[in-house]
Structure formats: structure tokens, C-alpha cells
Amino acid sequence: MPNNLVIVANRLPVDRVEQPDGTPGWRLSPGGLVTAIEPVMRANDGVWLGWPGGIDEELEPFEHDGMNLVPMSMSAQEVERFYEGMSNATLWPLYHDLVAKPQFHREWWDSYVAVNQRFAQKAASLAAEGATVWVHDYQLQLVPQMLRELRPDLRIGFYLHIPFPPAELFQQLPWRRQILEGLLGADLVGFQGTGAAQNFVRLVRQRVGHKTHRDLVYLPDGRTVRAHAFPISIDSQGFEELSTSPAVIERASAIREALGNPRKIFLGIDRLDYTKGIYARLRAYAELIQDGHLDVEDAVFVQVAVPSREQVEQYRILRDDIDRLVGRINGDLGRIGRPAISYLHSSYPREEMAALYRAADIMVVTPYRDGMNLVAKEYVACRTDATGALVLSEFAGAADELRQAWLVNPYDINGMKAALLDAYRADAKESTRRMKAMRRTVTQHDVARWAQSFMTELADVRIDHGKTVRPPAES
Ligand code: GDG
């Protein structure tokens, strides 16, 4: 059945689970993206195309919780080359300021092209005449152009969840021109921040040679493409409600109790990823204990590292490095029943996340580079009594909005130590003033608003015989 809205993302928004009777089933993935897109999909006869995980599994389209899902299968070689290789060992580090060294392999690129082509073909077959297709993220940057070639009648939007690098870095990519042209197949290209949108427009001007004006690109065929910032957010109300539920409140005090009721709890929650700055943050914290500014009788650092991309070598190395560091810190500085760092390599249900946010006095989010960082916003949303402090990297997209956090440069260990200590020592009045301001931001700009503003902007695009027409730019 043709659909008026097709969401195209690398992953389907469901995880495989075993049902009580032992048969396989699906569970909606936790996360704001689904919450935001679900109502848009319902209102538009929407369908979501993506990989369900697994290898070589040809699954029929199915419905889950009222959402129409179309699974796209992936071979073992595609998982290795397209997903772990080109997506996560080339583009991911390149787009995150070269925090790790990107690897360039021609066979990875060939697989990236082939998988993108398959996504584009499938999306083309699902979309009704004149439908809207919204493509997501760095794994699928060629889909907009491929799709436009197949279906010039479509309205195509693209959203990049991660940063878009400056020209000096992007230039390294052997396939830079193809990626830029791939993205230019969209009518609207959305980014987390204005810096990313500007990087893209500048690259298009320099590398592809198209005329640009502010956030518009003028293509030779008369089409225009808008590159604009749409900072993503969270289901703020959902987190607020969850964090004030009796079960979560009770769990939060049980967590404090289990940690020995320390005066202050520091918390980090991240996917175990080298962009997140976990290693440096733990070192900074340990030095504060060594220097005598913090005492393990008084404070503890809870670090949750959610397993991620474990087949990619750099992620395995990082895990070993952090295991060793935590072992050394606790061995050197811990006392019986009082570890300096309480380290958890695991993922948790949303309720447990909310309880952790509620239990923590100081949330520490120190990525070297991050498109947005939703954890920072979730912490703020859960602090309904306006207590708590947020230490936040300047290099997370969230820092553009959460200006009242204790902002840090994660490369500056001494600066980070000073900020951790300031947040630790801040009086209640000061942290409440900051938290109240941040709460206003997070409450007003939630994920529903994000989805709506992207869709509204995309709907403004008028399609005329396959050409996107916009009023001429002002000079
Ligand atoms: C990318 C960009 C951008 C984490 N562990 C568990 C869990 N989570 C949830 C968090 C949060 C989400 O996952 C993580 O989002 P982040 O924004 O922090 O980071 P990335 O995964 O790197 O996301 C990022 C984002 O896309 C959206 O555009 O902000 O910059 O890198 O929502 O709560 N949720 C549950 N259990 C866990 O163990 N239930």
C-alpha cells in the first residue's frame, strides 16, 4: 500500500525480544526519536523502513504498536563493511573531529553505495505519489540523491544526528563529493547546530561549485536545497512524569542507600564510545581524590557505560582501557565498601535511568564532540525540584542551549577538575538558579516540537515538475 510518509533509518525502532511463551517478538526501542515520530507517522499513513538487526533475515513488513514497519535485510558482509566499517570506523570518527583515526577502505565504500541504493529502491517502492520521505543519519547519506533519481515527485528530507565536520577534516574523505551530492538530493537537510549547517554549505560551494546564499544552495537544474539547524530534544514531559512516579522516587533513594548514602553522587551515563570522553573524566575525578579535594567517604562517581559496537576494534580497546583505569583507581583510592568509582558496563530500562538521574547530585557529560547529547537534557528534565548540577562539555551540541551548565573543555584536565569541584561545592541557591533556567529550555523545546518544525519546513517546499521552488533569495 502506498504511504504518504516514509521514514528511512538504519535501524527499525524495535528490538527483538523473547516473549513469555518463548516465541520471538518485538519491543519498541526506548528513545525520543520514536516518541517524536510516532504521532507524525500516525497522522500521515506512515511507514518506517530499516534494518531489524540480524543477518540475512528476509522478514515481511509487520505492524507493532500501531506502527507500520518494513524490515530491510543485511548480509554478514554488509554488516561488516557498510555498518561496522564505512559507517562506524570511517564516517563516525571523521565526523567527530578525528577523535579516533578514520579508516578508508574502498570495499567498505562499495558496500555503503550498494546498501544505500537498496534503501533508496525500497523507499521508492513504498512512497505514494508526491509523498514525503524523511531519511536519517550518517549511514544513509546517499539515499536522498538516489531516491530523487528514482522518484522526482517526492519531497525528501534528511536529518543528520551527529556533527558535520569542518571542511579541513571532511576533505580527507576520498568520496567527499559523492556524499555532498548524495545529501543535495534532499529538499531540506537538517543538522543539530548552525555550525554543522554552515560547514555543509561552505563545502558544497567549495567542492561542488554550487551557488549558495545563507542556508540555501542553488542547483544548476533550478532546484534549491535548504541546510538548516534543528536541534533535537527529548520527550521532556515523559521524563518528568517518569521521574516523579512513586516507583522511581523509591528506587532513587534505594540507589543512594546502596551506595552508602554518600554526601554527593557524581554520575556519567554514556554509550561506551571514544567520543564521549569517559576516560579523561574518570582520571580528572580520581585526581581530585588524590589531591585531597574529594574523599571516598563523601562522594562516589557512578559511571554507566552502555555496551556499544563491540565488533569494532577501537571500541574493544576502549573497553579494556576503561576497565584497567577503573581497576587502578579503585585499587589505589578505594576503601572497603567505598569504591571511588562504581562502574557498570550494562544497559538499563528507562525507569532505572530516571532513578539514576534523580539520585545523582552532579551529572557529568564530557564528550570531545557530540551532535547533541540527550543524556544531558534527560538529567535536566528529571530534576523536577530544580536541584542538581550539570557539568557539560562545550563540544556537545547541548551546550548551545544549556548555557547555565558548568561548561568545560574536555581536553583540559585541570579545567575539568576545577569545574567538577565548583559543581560539587556550589551552594543550593546557585545550582537551583542554573537548573531552573535549563529546565525552562528543556521543557519548551521538546522532541515533538523538533519533529514538527522539521516537518513544517519540509512541507513548505513546493514541488514543481521535480524541481524544488523557493522564492528568490534576498541579497
Ligand atoms: C546520537 C548522537 C544525539 C543510553 N543508555 C541507555 C539508554 N540510553 C539512551 C539515553 C539517550 C540515548 O540513549 C543516548 O543519546 P545521546 O544523545 O546521549 O547519544 P548517542 O547514542 O551518541 O546519539 C547524539 C542523538 O543521536 C540524537 O540525535 O544527541 O549526539 O551521537 O536517550 O537515555 N536508554 C535506556 N537504557 C540504557 O541503558 N533505556
Side-chain angles (χ1 to χ4, degrees):
M1 199 187 65
N3 303 276
N4 290 323
L5 174 68
V6 182
I7 304 291
V8 187
N10 179 51
R11 286 301 299 260
L12 279 181
V14 285
D15 299 317
R16 229 177 280 256
V17 286
E18 194 178 302
Q19 290 173 324
D21 63 359
T23 59
W26 301 96
R27 186 184 50 208
L28 214 57
S29 321
L33 193 60
V34 184
T35 323
I37 288 179
E38 203 186 334
V40 187
M41 272 179 66
R42 281 187 209 281
N44 294 283
D45 286 335
V47 65
W48 187 312
L49 170 64
W51 177 43
I55 283 169
D56 276 338
E57 260 184 300
E58 298 290 345
L59 298 175
E60 289 302 313
F62 63 98
E63 202 189 295
H64 184 87
D65 263 2
M67 299 229 285
N68 294 315
L69 307 176
V70 180
M72 175 69 99
S73 79
M74 200 90 71
S75 71
Q77 197 185 66
E78 284 168 344
V79 171
E80 198 190 314
R81 296 182 177 182
F82 154 78
Y83 178 67
E84 291 161 5
M86 187 69 201
S87 299
N88 288 330
T90 308
L91 295 169
W92 179 267
L94 180 72
Y95 281 28
H96 286 90
D97 276 6
L98 309 186
V99 174
K101 194 169 163 46
Q103 297 175 47
F104 302 118
H105 295 296
R106 285 166 285 181
E107 62 279 17
W108 290 1
W109 169 253
D110 293 341
S111 180
Y112 187 83
V113 175
V115 172
N116 273 252
Q117 188 70 56
R118 213 143 43 77
F119 268 96
Q121 273 157 353
K122 191 73 196 177
S125 75
L126 293 168
E129 175 75 23
T132 297
V133 180
W134 188 0
V135 184
H136 287 263
D137 230 0
Y138 61 103
Q139 303 93 348
L140 302 175
Q141 293 172 98
L142 304 178
V143 169
Q145 187 197 31
M146 291 168 165
L147 188 56
R148 179 166 299 279
E149 267 161 28
L150 296 165
R151 292 286 306 273
D153 59 298
L154 299 177
R155 200 182 288 269
I156 303 171
F158 179 91
Y159 188 77
L160 186 69
H161 290 257
I162 68 173
F164 192 83
E168 292 70 17
L169 305 184
F170 187 79
Q171 229 113 268
Q172 290 187 6
L173 190 65
W175 311 282
R176 56 201 182 189
R177 195 180 167 112
Q178 289 95 313
I179 295 273
L180 294 173
E181 283 175 346
L183 292 171
L184 287 172
D187 299 294
L188 176 64
V189 185
F191 296 91
Q192 297 276 18
T194 44
Q198 284 162 0
N199 288 344
F200 174 71
V201 171
R202 180 174 156 218
L203 268 157
V204 165
R205 193 168 57 239
Q206 289 176 345
R207 287 278 146 207
V208 196
H210 293 325
K211 271 181 64 180
T212 67
H213 179 78
R214 295 196 183 143
D215 63 356
L216 289 181
V217 179
Y218 299 91
L219 279 82
D221 67 359
R223 224 161 48 82
T224 57
V225 177
R226 171 161 269 143
H228 198 73
F230 297 88
I232 201 167
S233 193
I234 57 164
D235 174 13
S236 315
Q237 203 190 333
F239 268 97
E240 223 176 279
E241 283 167 12
L242 188 63
S243 73
T244 46
S245 71
V248 167
I249 293 176
E250 198 176 306
R251 177 66 191 144
S253 41
I255 290 172
R256 287 199 83 101
E257 182 84 34
L259 290 165
N261 277 321
R263 221 165 57 75
K264 297 270 173 167
I265 297 173
F266 291 77
L267 174 67
I269 300 184
D270 315 77
R271 267 189 314 99
L272 186 43
D273 193 297
Y274 49 78
T275 59
K276 302 287 183 185
I278 303 169
Y279 192 96
R281 159 201 318 168
L282 296 180
R283 262 192 59 194
Y285 181 77
E287 282 187 23
L288 286 172
I289 302 175
Q290 263 162 350
D291 299 347
H293 293 302
L294 295 179
D295 189 323
V296 291
E297 301 291 339
D298 260 5
V300 65
F301 199 120
V302 178
Q303 176 64 54
V304 176
V306 182
S308 179
R309 306 179 191 168
E310 292 180 307
Q311 300 313 311
V312 180
E313 198 197 354
Q314 269 151 335
Y315 288 76
R316 291 201 207 134
I317 297 173
L318 176 74
R319 180 175 179 195
D320 289 345
D321 287 349
I322 291 182
D323 281 353
R324 261 196 304 274
L325 179 71
V326 171
R328 208 172 63 222
I329 293 172
N330 282 340
D332 289 348
L333 304 171
R335 289 187 215 136
I336 286 178
R338 296 281 181 179
I341 295 166
S342 176
Y343 179 62
L344 305 156
H345 179 254
S346 178
S347 69
Y348 293 95
R350 239 164 70 94
E351 292 71 18
E352 183 73 357
M353 304 270 294
L356 282 162
Y357 290 139
R358 241 196 122 82
D361 302 288
I362 302 145
M363 183 81 212
V364 190
V365 181
T366 57
Y368 293 116
R369 182 60 73 191
D370 214 330
M372 176 55 65
N373 198 292
L374 298 180
V375 165
K377 291 189 170 180
E378 288 165 6
Y379 177 69
V380 170
C382 289
R383 308 305 300 188
T384 47
D385 59 0
T387 60
L390 174 65
V391 175
L392 178 62
S393 163
E394 293 164 23
F395 306 131
D400 292 347
E401 295 167 80
L402 304 178
R403 303 303 303 166
Q404 298 79 8
W406 273 267
L407 294 175
V408 294
N409 169 1
Y411 293 95
D412 170 10
I413 298 260
N414 282 347
M416 208 146 51
K417 286 169 70 179
L420 289 173
L421 211 51
D422 276 356
Y424 175 79
R425 290 178 177 159
D427 64 40
K429 209 170 138 210
E430 170 69 2
S431 44
T432 296
R433 182 188 64 78
R434 292 178 183 237
M435 188 55 77
K436 274 193 175 153
M438 293 192 288
R439 288 185 54 76
R440 272 196 295 275
T441 306
V442 170
T443 313
Q444 281 163 12
H445 301 266
D446 68 357
V447 74
R449 192 161 146 176
W450 166 81
Q452 209 175 38
S453 57
F454 186 91
M455 290 297 285
T456 307
E457 174 67 36
L458 187 55
D460 276 352
V461 171
R462 282 182 292 128
I463 311 274
D464 180 15
H465 303 297
K467 297 200 174 135
T468 316
V469 182
R470 283 204 178 85
E474 319 136 31
S475 54

